[in-house]
């Protein structure tokens, strides 16, 4: 299983590459960045886990070499936020980066699973989809926006609110919608174990929606979440790889996908969000060919139903912005 990290020399890219290198599920690791990836690759190559590691930069057709034969491509390339910025403020810097990466993937690894971390995820995933469609290689079951950090944060924050930090890893809280502010909708009514003090629902929902800001502000102009994101990104990438190898598990993964990936499974969520929202983070079952099934979101509280409405409004604008950007691009 050849995995490739694009943006591998960055704040997320380096620890994410380390976590992938540690996994026996990865048997070849390829790192690409516009700078420094060969050095990161040599460093990781001294670790005595199975995967050989190679690093590439744009020289000598490095991107094509990094991508050829890749089965999973994880993309944390592009600018992170600074205090006061929204994720949408990154659109100008990152939209053309992901568009060009999508073009290269269409040409060199059209069958790979593509996991998009670059923000704004609500727009960069639609950009990927549109480029791959235009190149005739789009398979919505193989394109994933990585929203695992929202799920990880939800479990951490709810366990903390319950005074149960030691068991945070055992908490399951569905988080649906998109990946920015109000588009992030945690379903705290379905938390397992349950949130003990229901008067905390409002504050916890807000904390999960704006958890990224906590890190951006604490890092004080030096970037956004990198280590927790690497943890979350590796967790999701390894789930995709394990499922591709035929492993099954009981709990769903949550990821921002094109709802056409499973039109039948998406019917229930469309009854809640309407037909205008093409992408949504939903619970999914992964399988050999990527997304196997979109799972039901379960019963939502009135508070959550309201939050979903607000999420949809904001999300539709983010999605159209990505689609329009590709429409206006010469490919
Ligand atoms: P960073 O600046 O530390 O690293 C980004 C890396 O991308 C750099 O090494 C840079 O050289 C590289 N890069 C830039 N253009 C490239 C290109 N065309 N091809 C290949 N590599 C390129 O940033 P970071 O903190 O690692 O964050 C990366 C992205 O991930 C940001 O957009 C950030 O907002 C996003 N992010 C997403 C989530 C999420 O939950 N999905 C969480 C955290 C951060
Ligand atoms: C996060 O949720 O931490 C990331 O999307 C980075 C950010 O900009 O907050």
């Amino acid at each position: 299983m050849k995995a490739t990290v694009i943006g591998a020399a960055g704040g997320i890219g380096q620890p994410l590459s380390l976590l992938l290198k540690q996994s026996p599920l990865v048997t070849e690791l390829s790192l690409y960045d516009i700078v420094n990836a060969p050095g990161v690759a040599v460093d990781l190559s001294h670790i005595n886990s199975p995967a050989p590691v190679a690093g590439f930069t744009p020289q000598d057709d490095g991107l094509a070499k990094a991508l050829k034969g890749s089965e999973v491509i994880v993309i944390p390339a592009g600018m992170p936020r600074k205090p006061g910025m929204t994720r949408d403020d990154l659109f100008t810097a990152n939209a053309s980066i992901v568009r060009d990466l999508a073009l290269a993937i269409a040409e060199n690894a059209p069958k790979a699973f593509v996991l998009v971390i670059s923000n704004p995820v609500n727009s960069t995933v639609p950009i990927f989809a549109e480029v791959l469609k235009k190149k005739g290689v789009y398979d919505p079951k193989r394109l994933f926006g990585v929203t695992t950090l929202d799920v990880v944060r939800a479990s951490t924050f709810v366990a903390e609110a319950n005074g149960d930090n030691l068991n945070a890893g055992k908490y399951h809280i569905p988080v649906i919608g998109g990946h920015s502010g109000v588009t992030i909708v945690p379903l705290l009514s379905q938390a397992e174990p349950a949130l003990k003090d229901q008067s905390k629902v409002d504050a916890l929902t807000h904390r999960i929606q704006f958890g990224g800001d906590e890190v951006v502000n604490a890092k004080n102009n030096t970037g956004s979440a990198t280590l927790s994101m690497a943890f979350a990104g590796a967790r999701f990438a390894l789930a995709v790889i394990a499922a591709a190898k035929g492993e099954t598990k009981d709990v769903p993964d949550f990821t921002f996908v094109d709802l056409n990936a499973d039109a039948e499974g998406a019917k229930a969520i469309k009854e809640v969000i309407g037909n205008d929202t093409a992408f949504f983070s939903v619970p999914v079952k992964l399988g050999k060919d990527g997304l196997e099934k979109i799972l039901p979101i379960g019963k939502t509280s009135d508070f959550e139903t309201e939050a979903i409405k607000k999420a949809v409004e904001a999300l539709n604008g983010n999605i159209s912005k990505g689609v329009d950007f590709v429409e206006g691009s010469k490919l």
Side-chain angles (χ1 to χ4, degrees), residues 6-7 9-12 32-35 76-80 90 94 97 117-119 121 146 149 179 224-226 229:
I6 303 190
I12 297 168
Y32 175 81
D33 201 299
I34 50 173
V35 291
M79 288 265 294
L90 296 170
N94 291 349
I97 293 177
I117 292 174
S118 314
N119 270 319
V121 166
V146 183
L149 182 53
H179 178 66
S224 56
T226 55
M229 182 60 235

Side-chain angles (χ1 to χ4, degrees), residues 122 126 256-260 266-267 269-280 309 311-321 323:
N122 295 355
F256 185 70
V257 288
D258 182 338
L259 295 175
N260 288 317
K267 274 186 186 158
I269 179 78
K270 284 192 171 181
E271 276 170 22
V272 183
I273 66 172
N275 285 318
D276 294 339
T277 308
F279 294 82
F280 213 71
K309 272 193 203 146
V312 165
E313 263 176 51
L315 195 50
N316 286 346
N318 297 153
I319 295 168
S320 317
K321 192 168 171 179
V323 172

Side-chain angles (χ1 to χ4, degrees), residues 95-299:
S96 54
I97 293 177
V98 300
R99 177 198 58 203
D100 295 348
L101 291 171
L103 282 168
I105 289 170
E107 200 173 320
N108 296 291
K111 295 247 179 266
F113 301 118
V114 177
L115 280 55
V116 183
I117 292 174
S118 314
N119 270 319
V121 166
N122 295 355
S123 304
T124 53
V125 175
I127 290 174
F128 259 93
E130 289 307 302
V131 172
L132 297 174
K133 268 183 217 169
K134 285 196 186 298
K135 293 294 161 188
V137 295
Y138 182 47
D139 179 352
K141 293 182 187 305
R142 291 173 176 263
L143 175 64
F144 305 95
V146 183
T147 54
T148 316
L149 182 53
D150 302 316
V151 176
V152 170
R153 282 186 178 131
S155 58
T156 307
F157 299 164
V158 172
E160 195 179 301
N162 276 355
D164 194 20
N165 304 49
L166 286 181
N167 288 310
K170 295 187 189 134
Y171 275 63
H172 295 286
I173 294 102
V175 183
I176 61 171
H179 178 66
S180 72
V182 297
T183 71
I184 298 170
V185 184
L187 303 180
L188 293 172
S189 66
Q190 297 177 27
E192 279 178 23
L195 173 66
K196 284 184 195 154
D197 180 352
Q198 287 295 313
S199 74
K200 293 183 176 167
V201 164
D202 251 0
L204 269 173
T205 300
H206 186 272
R207 187 168 182 213
I208 295 161
Q209 291 179 321
F210 294 89
D213 296 17
E214 284 184 21
V215 184
V216 169
N217 292 333
K219 288 198 171 177
N220 194 17
N221 277 313
T222 62
S224 56
T226 55
L227 303 172
S228 51
M229 182 60 235
F231 171 86
R235 179 169 117 176
F236 185 66
L238 294 172
V240 170
I241 295 170
K245 286 176 178 276
E247 284 179 29
T248 51
K249 63 178 189 183
D250 300 337
V251 288
D253 286 287
F254 288 80
T255 172
F256 185 70
V257 288
D258 182 338
L259 295 175
N260 288 317
D262 172 19
E264 193 52 39
K267 274 186 186 158
I269 179 78
K270 284 192 171 181
E271 276 170 22
V272 183
I273 66 172
N275 285 318
D276 294 339
T277 308
F279 294 82
F280 213 71
S281 191
V282 282
V284 301
K285 179 175 191 297
L286 298 168
K288 287 202 159 106
D289 297 313
L291 188 149
E292 193 172 292
K293 229 172 179 322
I294 293 178
L295 302 168
I297 59 163
K299 193 171 154 25

Side-chain angles (χ1 to χ4, degrees), residues 14-36:
Q14 292 202 36
L16 173 60
S17 301
L18 169 64
L19 293 170
L20 295 180
K21 169 67 178 146
Q22 277 188 312
S23 170
L25 293 176
V26 175
T27 49
E28 188 180 345
L29 184 60
S30 166
L31 309 183
Y32 175 81
D33 201 299
I34 50 173
V35 291
N36 300 338

